[in-house]
Amino acid sequence: QVEPTIDDAWVARNITACASVAQLREKARRELQQQATEQSHGYLLYRAADAVSQRLTEPVPDSAFASHYAELLQGFRGELVSRGITEQDYLSENNMSADELKHRLMSQTREQVRQGLALDAMARHHGIKITQSELKAYLGKTSQGNPDETLDDLKAHGGLRSAEEAALRAKTNEWLVE
């Protein structure tokens, strides 16, 4: 992946602290390997959560999906705004209709809700808890800025419960993969 463009990149963008093309190659290889490792671990986390969600025996009520879908849609639209594109532009770029997008987001919502409920059940069953330091570490990974400030902001604006839930699910998912 690196070799075909490395020489051009070295000449065109001298933005690295590398002293030579060889160092740039090595740095690029390390970064690509890190990305591959992270992607592989992410896939393992997904597969573990998916496998445990398949064990749910009770149907999840539609009301559980509605609020999560609204949050997912709001987050999606916020991401589009931050990228400076409209929803219509996104649909055109990805060659999809509004109905196809809605279907995709609904499928994603159903999957996330089922996985979340399954991870919650696993945490309860195995007595997995989240400590304050683990919550701060989670916030440090998932938010920009200082985890202590993020935690204070969540406490002040009523988002602490959601953050604790997400951190516990992440911890449970890691436990499941291990």
mmCIF file of all heavy atoms in Angstrom, residues 115-156:
data_model
loop_
_atom_site.group_PDB
_atom_site.id
_atom_site.type_symbol
_atom_site.label_atom_id
_atom_site.label_comp_id
_atom_site.label_asym_id
_atom_site.label_seq_id
_atom_site.Cartn_x
_atom_site.Cartn_y
_atom_site.Cartn_z
ATOM 1 N N GLN A 115 -27.840 -5.357 20.577
ATOM 2 C CA GLN A 115 -26.511 -5.599 21.136
ATOM 3 C C GLN A 115 -26.369 -4.933 22.496
ATOM 4 O O GLN A 115 -25.821 -5.518 23.439
ATOM 5 C CB GLN A 115 -25.419 -5.107 20.185
ATOM 6 C CG GLN A 115 -25.259 -5.981 18.967
ATOM 7 C CD GLN A 115 -24.199 -5.490 18.010
ATOM 8 O OE1 GLN A 115 -23.542 -4.478 18.240
ATOM 9 N NE2 GLN A 115 -24.028 -6.202 16.916
ATOM 10 N N GLY A 116 -26.880 -3.708 22.618
ATOM 11 C CA GLY A 116 -26.806 -3.004 23.899
ATOM 12 C C GLY A 116 -27.544 -3.739 24.998
ATOM 13 O O GLY A 116 -27.036 -3.896 26.116
ATOM 14 N N LEU A 117 -28.752 -4.200 24.693
ATOM 15 C CA LEU A 117 -29.527 -4.949 25.683
ATOM 16 C C LEU A 117 -28.832 -6.253 26.070
ATOM 17 O O LEU A 117 -28.814 -6.644 27.245
ATOM 18 C CB LEU A 117 -30.929 -5.235 25.150
ATOM 19 C CG LEU A 117 -31.845 -4.014 25.016
ATOM 20 C CD1 LEU A 117 -33.147 -4.408 24.312
ATOM 21 C CD2 LEU A 117 -32.123 -3.386 26.361
ATOM 22 N N ALA A 118 -28.255 -6.919 25.094
ATOM 23 C CA ALA A 118 -27.546 -8.171 25.378
ATOM 24 C C ALA A 118 -26.310 -7.913 26.246
ATOM 25 O O ALA A 118 -26.044 -8.666 27.195
ATOM 26 C CB ALA A 118 -27.154 -8.852 24.072
ATOM 27 N N LEU A 119 -25.571 -6.850 25.936
ATOM 28 C CA LEU A 119 -24.384 -6.517 26.750
ATOM 29 C C LEU A 119 -24.798 -6.106 28.156
ATOM 30 O O LEU A 119 -24.114 -6.447 29.136
ATOM 31 C CB LEU A 119 -23.562 -5.432 26.070
ATOM 32 C CG LEU A 119 -22.834 -5.869 24.803
ATOM 33 C CD1 LEU A 119 -22.232 -4.676 24.073
ATOM 34 C CD2 LEU A 119 -21.755 -6.915 25.107
ATOM 35 N N ASP A 120 -25.915 -5.394 28.282
ATOM 36 C CA ASP A 120 -26.431 -5.037 29.610
ATOM 37 C C ASP A 120 -26.744 -6.291 30.417
ATOM 38 O O ASP A 120 -26.413 -6.386 31.606
ATOM 39 C CB ASP A 120 -27.693 -4.177 29.486
ATOM 40 C CG ASP A 120 -27.441 -2.798 28.906
ATOM 41 O OD1 ASP A 120 -26.267 -2.361 28.827
ATOM 42 O OD2 ASP A 120 -28.442 -2.148 28.519
ATOM 43 N N ALA A 121 -27.396 -7.257 29.765
ATOM 44 C CA ALA A 121 -27.749 -8.505 30.448
ATOM 45 C C ALA A 121 -26.486 -9.267 30.864
ATOM 46 O O ALA A 121 -26.432 -9.821 31.970
ATOM 47 C CB ALA A 121 -28.627 -9.369 29.546
ATOM 48 N N MET A 122 -25.489 -9.286 29.994
ATOM 49 C CA MET A 122 -24.219 -9.955 30.333
ATOM 50 C C MET A 122 -23.560 -9.279 31.537
ATOM 51 O O MET A 122 -23.063 -9.967 32.439
ATOM 52 C CB MET A 122 -23.245 -9.928 29.148
ATOM 53 C CG MET A 122 -23.647 -10.781 27.969
ATOM 54 S SD MET A 122 -23.539 -12.547 28.282
ATOM 55 C CE MET A 122 -21.792 -12.763 28.425
ATOM 56 N N ALA A 123 -23.557 -7.964 31.553
ATOM 57 C CA ALA A 123 -22.945 -7.225 32.666
ATOM 58 C C ALA A 123 -23.668 -7.552 33.978
ATOM 59 O O ALA A 123 -23.015 -7.813 34.999
ATOM 60 C CB ALA A 123 -22.970 -5.726 32.384
ATOM 61 N N ARG A 124 -24.984 -7.549 33.950
ATOM 62 C CA ARG A 124 -25.752 -7.876 35.159
ATOM 63 C C ARG A 124 -25.475 -9.314 35.597
ATOM 64 O O ARG A 124 -25.225 -9.576 36.778
ATOM 65 C CB ARG A 124 -27.245 -7.686 34.919
ATOM 66 C CG ARG A 124 -27.726 -6.268 35.021
ATOM 67 C CD ARG A 124 -29.251 -6.164 35.041
ATOM 68 N NE ARG A 124 -29.914 -6.876 33.962
ATOM 69 C CZ ARG A 124 -30.093 -6.393 32.726
ATOM 70 N NH1 ARG A 124 -29.647 -5.200 32.417
ATOM 71 N NH2 ARG A 124 -30.721 -7.114 31.804
ATOM 72 N N HIS A 125 -25.522 -10.232 34.654
ATOM 73 C CA HIS A 125 -25.347 -11.655 34.973
ATOM 74 C C HIS A 125 -23.968 -11.941 35.574
ATOM 75 O O HIS A 125 -23.849 -12.744 36.495
ATOM 76 C CB HIS A 125 -25.554 -12.499 33.718
ATOM 77 C CG HIS A 125 -25.400 -13.953 33.948
ATOM 78 N ND1 HIS A 125 -26.363 -14.703 34.588
ATOM 79 C CD2 HIS A 125 -24.389 -14.808 33.647
ATOM 80 C CE1 HIS A 125 -25.952 -15.959 34.671
ATOM 81 N NE2 HIS A 125 -24.759 -16.056 34.099
ATOM 82 N N HIS A 126 -22.950 -11.283 35.059
ATOM 83 C CA HIS A 126 -21.583 -11.550 35.516
ATOM 84 C C HIS A 126 -21.081 -10.527 36.530
ATOM 85 O O HIS A 126 -19.917 -10.579 36.922
ATOM 86 C CB HIS A 126 -20.639 -11.625 34.314
ATOM 87 C CG HIS A 126 -20.910 -12.813 33.447
ATOM 88 N ND1 HIS A 126 -20.504 -14.086 33.772
ATOM 89 C CD2 HIS A 126 -21.584 -12.931 32.276
ATOM 90 C CE1 HIS A 126 -20.893 -14.939 32.846
ATOM 91 N NE2 HIS A 126 -21.554 -14.262 31.923
ATOM 92 N N GLY A 127 -21.945 -9.611 36.933
ATOM 93 C CA GLY A 127 -21.574 -8.632 37.959
ATOM 94 C C GLY A 127 -20.515 -7.644 37.509
ATOM 95 O O GLY A 127 -19.729 -7.155 38.326
ATOM 96 N N ILE A 128 -20.484 -7.336 36.234
ATOM 97 C CA ILE A 128 -19.503 -6.386 35.715
ATOM 98 C C ILE A 128 -19.973 -4.975 36.050
ATOM 99 O O ILE A 128 -21.120 -4.619 35.798
ATOM 100 C CB ILE A 128 -19.320 -6.558 34.198
ATOM 101 C CG1 ILE A 128 -18.833 -7.983 33.888
ATOM 102 C CG2 ILE A 128 -18.341 -5.522 33.639
ATOM 103 C CD1 ILE A 128 -18.840 -8.340 32.411
ATOM 104 N N LYS A 129 -19.090 -4.200 36.628
ATOM 105 C CA LYS A 129 -19.380 -2.818 37.024
ATOM 106 C C LYS A 129 -18.338 -1.904 36.403
ATOM 107 O O LYS A 129 -17.269 -2.335 35.991
ATOM 108 C CB LYS A 129 -19.333 -2.652 38.549
ATOM 109 C CG LYS A 129 -20.224 -3.605 39.314
ATOM 110 C CD LYS A 129 -21.641 -3.164 39.294
ATOM 111 C CE LYS A 129 -22.478 -4.073 40.186
ATOM 112 N NZ LYS A 129 -23.830 -4.156 39.798
ATOM 113 N N ILE A 130 -18.662 -0.623 36.361
ATOM 114 C CA ILE A 130 -17.735 0.363 35.834
ATOM 115 C C ILE A 130 -17.305 1.270 36.984
ATOM 116 O O ILE A 130 -18.146 1.728 37.757
ATOM 117 C CB ILE A 130 -18.370 1.163 34.667
ATOM 118 C CG1 ILE A 130 -17.336 1.950 33.887
ATOM 119 C CG2 ILE A 130 -19.449 2.090 35.115
ATOM 120 C CD1 ILE A 130 -16.651 1.117 32.861
ATOM 121 N N THR A 131 -16.009 1.474 37.121
ATOM 122 C CA THR A 131 -15.502 2.362 38.171
ATOM 123 C C THR A 131 -15.372 3.777 37.607
ATOM 124 O O THR A 131 -15.411 3.990 36.390
ATOM 125 C CB THR A 131 -14.123 1.894 38.665
ATOM 126 O OG1 THR A 131 -13.179 2.026 37.599
ATOM 127 C CG2 THR A 131 -14.168 0.453 39.167
ATOM 128 N N GLN A 132 -15.184 4.723 38.508
ATOM 129 C CA GLN A 132 -15.021 6.114 38.101
ATOM 130 C C GLN A 132 -13.778 6.272 37.221
ATOM 131 O O GLN A 132 -13.818 6.984 36.219
ATOM 132 C CB GLN A 132 -14.914 7.013 39.347
ATOM 133 C CG GLN A 132 -15.056 8.472 39.074
ATOM 134 C CD GLN A 132 -16.492 8.884 38.763
ATOM 135 O OE1 GLN A 132 -17.413 8.088 38.733
ATOM 136 N NE2 GLN A 132 -16.682 10.149 38.514
ATOM 137 N N SER A 133 -12.701 5.582 37.560
ATOM 138 C CA SER A 133 -11.476 5.691 36.752
ATOM 139 C C SER A 133 -11.673 5.045 35.372
ATOM 140 O O SER A 133 -11.153 5.543 34.371
ATOM 141 C CB SER A 133 -10.277 5.068 37.474
ATOM 142 O OG SER A 133 -10.478 3.693 37.691
ATOM 143 N N GLU A 134 -12.437 3.954 35.309
ATOM 144 C CA GLU A 134 -12.728 3.339 34.017
ATOM 145 C C GLU A 134 -13.620 4.243 33.170
ATOM 146 O O GLU A 134 -13.436 4.336 31.952
ATOM 147 C CB GLU A 134 -13.401 1.976 34.211
ATOM 148 C CG GLU A 134 -12.467 0.920 34.756
ATOM 149 C CD GLU A 134 -13.172 -0.348 35.181
ATOM 150 O OE1 GLU A 134 -14.346 -0.276 35.638
ATOM 151 O OE2 GLU A 134 -12.559 -1.431 35.060
ATOM 152 N N LEU A 135 -14.557 4.916 33.816
ATOM 153 C CA LEU A 135 -15.412 5.864 33.093
ATOM 154 C C LEU A 135 -14.570 7.004 32.526
ATOM 155 O O LEU A 135 -14.725 7.375 31.368
ATOM 156 C CB LEU A 135 -16.506 6.419 34.012
ATOM 157 C CG LEU A 135 -17.420 7.476 33.407
ATOM 158 C CD1 LEU A 135 -18.151 6.937 32.170
ATOM 159 C CD2 LEU A 135 -18.410 7.982 34.452
ATOM 160 N N LYS A 136 -13.649 7.522 33.321
ATOM 161 C CA LYS A 136 -12.774 8.596 32.845
ATOM 162 C C LYS A 136 -11.891 8.114 31.698
ATOM 163 O O LYS A 136 -11.686 8.835 30.727
ATOM 164 C CB LYS A 136 -11.920 9.151 33.980
ATOM 165 C CG LYS A 136 -12.682 10.011 34.937
ATOM 166 C CD LYS A 136 -11.774 10.558 36.027
ATOM 167 C CE LYS A 136 -12.551 11.372 37.034
ATOM 168 N NZ LYS A 136 -11.678 11.896 38.097
ATOM 169 N N ALA A 137 -11.377 6.894 31.803
ATOM 170 C CA ALA A 137 -10.548 6.340 30.722
ATOM 171 C C ALA A 137 -11.375 6.200 29.446
ATOM 172 O O ALA A 137 -10.898 6.514 28.351
ATOM 173 C CB ALA A 137 -9.963 4.991 31.139
ATOM 174 N N TYR A 138 -12.615 5.734 29.589
ATOM 175 C CA TYR A 138 -13.509 5.607 28.436
ATOM 176 C C TYR A 138 -13.760 6.976 27.818
ATOM 177 O O TYR A 138 -13.693 7.136 26.597
ATOM 178 C CB TYR A 138 -14.824 4.946 28.873
ATOM 179 C CG TYR A 138 -15.864 4.912 27.777
ATOM 180 C CD1 TYR A 138 -15.813 3.935 26.787
ATOM 181 C CD2 TYR A 138 -16.882 5.854 27.721
ATOM 182 C CE1 TYR A 138 -16.757 3.898 25.772
ATOM 183 C CE2 TYR A 138 -17.821 5.828 26.708
ATOM 184 C CZ TYR A 138 -17.751 4.849 25.740
ATOM 185 O OH TYR A 138 -18.679 4.824 24.731
ATOM 186 N N LEU A 139 -14.052 7.959 28.637
ATOM 187 C CA LEU A 139 -14.296 9.313 28.137
ATOM 188 C C LEU A 139 -13.046 9.879 27.464
ATOM 189 O O LEU A 139 -13.146 10.616 26.479
ATOM 190 C CB LEU A 139 -14.756 10.232 29.267
ATOM 191 C CG LEU A 139 -16.135 9.925 29.844
ATOM 192 C CD1 LEU A 139 -16.411 10.802 31.060
ATOM 193 C CD2 LEU A 139 -17.212 10.083 28.795
ATOM 194 N N GLY A 140 -11.884 9.527 27.983
ATOM 195 C CA GLY A 140 -10.637 9.977 27.372
ATOM 196 C C GLY A 140 -10.450 9.419 25.970
ATOM 197 O O GLY A 140 -9.900 10.093 25.091
ATOM 198 N N LYS A 141 -10.930 8.215 25.745
ATOM 199 C CA LYS A 141 -10.827 7.589 24.429
ATOM 200 C C LYS A 141 -11.885 8.090 23.454
ATOM 201 O O LYS A 141 -11.643 8.159 22.256
ATOM 202 C CB LYS A 141 -10.976 6.067 24.542
ATOM 203 C CG LYS A 141 -9.832 5.364 25.196
ATOM 204 C CD LYS A 141 -10.124 3.870 25.271
ATOM 205 C CE LYS A 141 -9.143 3.133 26.122
ATOM 206 N NZ LYS A 141 -9.519 1.725 26.283
ATOM 207 N N THR A 142 -13.075 8.379 23.963
ATOM 208 C CA THR A 142 -14.200 8.649 23.075
ATOM 209 C C THR A 142 -14.552 10.119 22.911
ATOM 210 O O THR A 142 -15.328 10.455 22.024
ATOM 211 C CB THR A 142 -15.469 7.915 23.569
ATOM 212 O OG1 THR A 142 -15.788 8.379 24.882
ATOM 213 C CG2 THR A 142 -15.261 6.414 23.561
ATOM 214 N N SER A 143 -14.015 10.965 23.750
ATOM 215 C CA SER A 143 -14.366 12.386 23.637
ATOM 216 C C SER A 143 -13.108 13.202 23.404
ATOM 217 O O SER A 143 -12.003 12.773 23.698
ATOM 218 C CB SER A 143 -15.078 12.869 24.900
ATOM 219 O OG SER A 143 -14.205 12.805 26.008
ATOM 220 N N GLN A 144 -13.326 14.380 22.897
ATOM 221 C CA GLN A 144 -12.206 15.287 22.697
ATOM 222 C C GLN A 144 -12.065 16.135 23.944
ATOM 223 O O GLN A 144 -13.049 16.569 24.530
ATOM 224 C CB GLN A 144 -12.443 16.160 21.471
ATOM 225 C CG GLN A 144 -12.535 15.344 20.202
ATOM 226 C CD GLN A 144 -13.065 16.167 19.040
ATOM 227 O OE1 GLN A 144 -13.798 17.105 19.212
ATOM 228 N NE2 GLN A 144 -12.683 15.768 17.836
ATOM 229 N N GLY A 145 -10.833 16.379 24.334
ATOM 230 C CA GLY A 145 -10.615 17.212 25.500
ATOM 231 C C GLY A 145 -10.335 16.396 26.742
ATOM 232 O O GLY A 145 -10.126 15.195 26.718
ATOM 233 N N ASN A 146 -10.378 17.076 27.847
ATOM 234 C CA ASN A 146 -10.049 16.526 29.145
ATOM 235 C C ASN A 146 -11.197 15.653 29.666
ATOM 236 O O ASN A 146 -12.333 16.125 29.759
ATOM 237 C CB ASN A 146 -9.791 17.703 30.098
ATOM 238 C CG ASN A 146 -9.375 17.267 31.476
ATOM 239 O OD1 ASN A 146 -9.851 16.271 32.001
ATOM 240 N ND2 ASN A 146 -8.483 18.034 32.064
ATOM 241 N N PRO A 147 -10.921 14.403 30.055
ATOM 242 C CA PRO A 147 -11.989 13.521 30.545
ATOM 243 C C PRO A 147 -12.664 14.064 31.808
ATOM 244 O O PRO A 147 -13.874 13.883 31.985
ATOM 245 C CB PRO A 147 -11.289 12.202 30.841
ATOM 246 C CG PRO A 147 -9.961 12.279 30.223
ATOM 247 C CD PRO A 147 -9.645 13.707 29.955
ATOM 248 N N ASP A 148 -11.905 14.742 32.678
ATOM 249 C CA ASP A 148 -12.504 15.308 33.887
ATOM 250 C C ASP A 148 -13.504 16.402 33.532
ATOM 251 O O ASP A 148 -14.595 16.479 34.107
ATOM 252 C CB ASP A 148 -11.425 15.867 34.824
ATOM 253 C CG ASP A 148 -10.595 14.770 35.461
ATOM 254 O OD1 ASP A 148 -11.177 13.740 35.871
ATOM 255 O OD2 ASP A 148 -9.361 14.930 35.541
ATOM 256 N N GLU A 149 -13.136 17.255 32.569
ATOM 257 C CA GLU A 149 -14.052 18.306 32.124
ATOM 258 C C GLU A 149 -15.280 17.707 31.446
ATOM 259 O O GLU A 149 -16.401 18.172 31.655
ATOM 260 C CB GLU A 149 -13.341 19.266 31.165
ATOM 261 C CG GLU A 149 -12.288 20.118 31.815
ATOM 262 C CD GLU A 149 -11.491 20.949 30.818
ATOM 263 O OE1 GLU A 149 -11.852 20.975 29.612
ATOM 264 O OE2 GLU A 149 -10.499 21.562 31.238
ATOM 265 N N THR A 150 -15.052 16.684 30.643
ATOM 266 C CA THR A 150 -16.169 16.005 29.976
ATOM 267 C C THR A 150 -17.109 15.404 31.010
ATOM 268 O O THR A 150 -18.330 15.530 30.890
ATOM 269 C CB THR A 150 -15.655 14.906 29.025
ATOM 270 O OG1 THR A 150 -14.762 15.494 28.074
ATOM 271 C CG2 THR A 150 -16.787 14.216 28.306
ATOM 272 N N LEU A 151 -16.549 14.779 32.035
ATOM 273 C CA LEU A 151 -17.353 14.179 33.101
ATOM 274 C C LEU A 151 -18.160 15.251 33.831
ATOM 275 O O LEU A 151 -19.361 15.074 34.080
ATOM 276 C CB LEU A 151 -16.457 13.419 34.075
ATOM 277 C CG LEU A 151 -17.133 12.616 35.162
ATOM 278 C CD1 LEU A 151 -18.095 11.595 34.562
ATOM 279 C CD2 LEU A 151 -16.098 11.925 36.035
ATOM 280 N N ASP A 152 -17.529 16.370 34.155
ATOM 281 C CA ASP A 152 -18.241 17.475 34.814
ATOM 282 C C ASP A 152 -19.370 17.997 33.929
ATOM 283 O O ASP A 152 -20.468 18.279 34.412
ATOM 284 C CB ASP A 152 -17.270 18.610 35.158
ATOM 285 C CG ASP A 152 -16.289 18.237 36.259
ATOM 286 O OD1 ASP A 152 -16.552 17.257 36.996
ATOM 287 O OD2 ASP A 152 -15.245 18.917 36.371
ATOM 288 N N ASP A 153 -19.097 18.112 32.631
ATOM 289 C CA ASP A 153 -20.109 18.586 31.687
ATOM 290 C C ASP A 153 -21.284 17.610 31.619
ATOM 291 O O ASP A 153 -22.444 18.024 31.595
ATOM 292 C CB ASP A 153 -19.475 18.782 30.306
ATOM 293 C CG ASP A 153 -20.410 19.457 29.330
ATOM 294 O OD1 ASP A 153 -21.006 20.487 29.692
ATOM 295 O OD2 ASP A 153 -20.546 18.944 28.196
ATOM 296 N N LEU A 154 -20.979 16.318 31.597
ATOM 297 C CA LEU A 154 -22.043 15.306 31.562
ATOM 298 C C LEU A 154 -22.893 15.368 32.824
ATOM 299 O O LEU A 154 -24.122 15.247 32.757
ATOM 300 C CB LEU A 154 -21.447 13.911 31.395
ATOM 301 C CG LEU A 154 -20.837 13.599 30.034
ATOM 302 C CD1 LEU A 154 -20.045 12.301 30.085
ATOM 303 C CD2 LEU A 154 -21.921 13.530 28.966
ATOM 304 N N LYS A 155 -22.254 15.552 33.965
ATOM 305 C CA LYS A 155 -22.995 15.658 35.223
ATOM 306 C C LYS A 155 -23.893 16.890 35.216
ATOM 307 O O LYS A 155 -25.042 16.832 35.654
ATOM 308 C CB LYS A 155 -22.023 15.739 36.405
ATOM 309 C CG LYS A 155 -21.347 14.434 36.728
ATOM 310 C CD LYS A 155 -20.365 14.602 37.869
ATOM 311 C CE LYS A 155 -19.626 13.314 38.167
ATOM 312 N NZ LYS A 155 -18.597 13.496 39.216
ATOM 313 N N ALA A 156 -23.379 17.989 34.694
ATOM 314 C CA ALA A 156 -24.134 19.247 34.688
ATOM 315 C C ALA A 156 -25.303 19.223 33.717
ATOM 316 O O ALA A 156 -26.317 19.886 33.948
ATOM 317 C CB ALA A 156 -23.203 20.411 34.349
#
